[in-house]
Amino acid sequence: MAKTRSRRPYVVFDAEKHSKPSFWQGTVNIPTELLRTFVAVYELGSFTKAAQLFDLTQPAVSAHMRKLEASLGGDLIEKKSSGISLTARGEQALKLARRMLAINDELVIACGTQHPLRGIRLGIPNISAEALRMVIAAFRKETGHGRVKICCDNSIGLLQSIRSGYLDLAFVLSDEAEMVDAVTSWPEDLVWVRSSDFVLKPGDPVPLISSPNWLVPDRRATEALERAKRQYEIVFSAFDGASRIAAVSAAVGCMLMPRSHVPSCLVIEDSGILPEVSPLTAGIVTREDLDAGELRTIIVALRGIFCRETISEGALRTSSL
């Protein structure tokens, strides 16, 4: 005799007899891809950069934003000459969007759909591009593959992206006060660099190469020159680290940069013609709600890559060579 069920195989919801359960209350469901687009547009400051990040067209990103704004009842961002800014509605939406995306990612990992070491969003300074091969090799060794989402930006932008939840971990070069929450950190010497055929005379104004973002090395350079009562002039400015290095290599001027990042095409100016500068702090920071223990092996590997005399093979360590 067949065994009978003690209960129905599924529950039938009768709207006339019962009130809706709590999970049924929402009348608008927001797809996470729309939230990711919104956060990316704001953090990157550009629809074009967000489109490149997600391998979408710019019209597709614009369509995502229109759909999200329609769902939330109004504009979230404003385009200004200085870039993108948030409306009052957008500021509130951004805070909650970050929380929702963090919970989404945590749920995916907790349920085993994604390994904690897969899909990691890593940030490195744009002057650290020469270390990319070593970074990918480290991920391949520790996770069995080299898949990692990497964002190259200046350290100010990387810290902002970590705090917003846009990145999981990042190697950063900054002031000590900005690195108090780093999972590991170390002092990093700042040195003046120039091309081998660049000549700077003691009494001449110093031609400086810097970033429009006015990064820590830029501030340290001008402060040191002003203390030494040495005249200077900014002759080249670029957001991209590779462009600044190219300008130095072309003998346009000189620049202050971390000792470990000096590429082989440049030499360190250590003749004493330029003032010494105090070290900055290098280290690895992680997202606030991320369990750094899960990434311990990766963090150790990244420290091994960046905490060294040089990340560039064959770099000239002194102007006398």
Side-chain angles (χ1 to χ4, degrees), residues 102-304:
I103 292 171
N104 175 90
D105 297 344
E106 184 179 350
L107 177 61
V108 169
I109 291 175
C111 292
T113 309
Q114 178 174 289
H115 189 276
L117 295 182
R118 291 180 182 271
I120 293 175
R121 299 166 300 178
L122 169 68
I124 62 175
N126 48 32
I127 62 170
S128 303
E130 287 202 31
L132 275 177
R133 184 180 296 276
M134 289 183 282
V135 169
I136 297 301
F139 273 84
R140 183 173 291 116
K141 177 181 177 181
E142 300 300 336
T143 67
H145 59 81
R147 296 185 61 186
V148 55
K149 298 178 181 178
I150 299 177
C151 173
C152 282
D153 199 353
N154 60 72
S155 290
I156 294 174
L158 293 176
L159 283 170
Q160 291 174 344
S161 295
I162 282 288
R163 289 162 183 164
S164 69
Y166 177 69
L167 292 175
D168 297 313
L169 73 164
F171 166 62
V172 177
L173 299 151
S174 190
D175 288 318
E176 186 177 3
E178 294 285 350
M179 302 293 287
V180 292
D181 296 326
V183 293
T184 180
S185 63
W186 58 93
E188 175 73 39
D189 288 339
L190 285 172
V191 295
W192 295 98
V193 294
R194 61 173 177 81
S195 68
S196 57
D197 57 347
F198 178 82
V199 178
L200 180 64
K201 296 180 180 179
D204 290 348
V206 179
L208 274 184
I209 292 169
S210 68
S211 167
N213 289 318
W214 212 235
L215 305 176
V216 175
D218 303 320
R219 297 199 303 269
R220 298 280 183 89
T222 54
E223 289 169 359
L225 290 169
E226 288 169 0
R227 285 195 302 270
K229 301 186 184 310
R230 188 72 186 272
Q231 290 185 330
Y232 63 89
E233 179 184 7
I234 296 175
V235 296
F236 185 90
S237 181
F239 288 104
D240 180 53
S243 297
R244 298 196 298 274
I245 289 173
V248 177
S249 180
V252 174
C254 55
M255 181 173 70
L256 199 65
M257 68 182 303
R259 179 182 292 274
S260 65
H261 286 63
V262 178
S264 57
C265 62
L266 303 179
V267 295
I268 295 173
E269 173 54 61
D270 59 359
S271 65
I273 196 171
L274 293 174
E276 291 187 4
V277 183
S278 59
L280 49 64
T281 301
I284 297 169
V285 294
T286 61
R287 204 177 70 229
E288 184 179 7
D289 59 339
L290 188 69
D291 181 5
E294 296 283 356
L295 301 174
R296 185 182 63 81
T297 57
I298 288 297
I299 291 171
V300 170
L302 291 176
R303 180 184 171 103

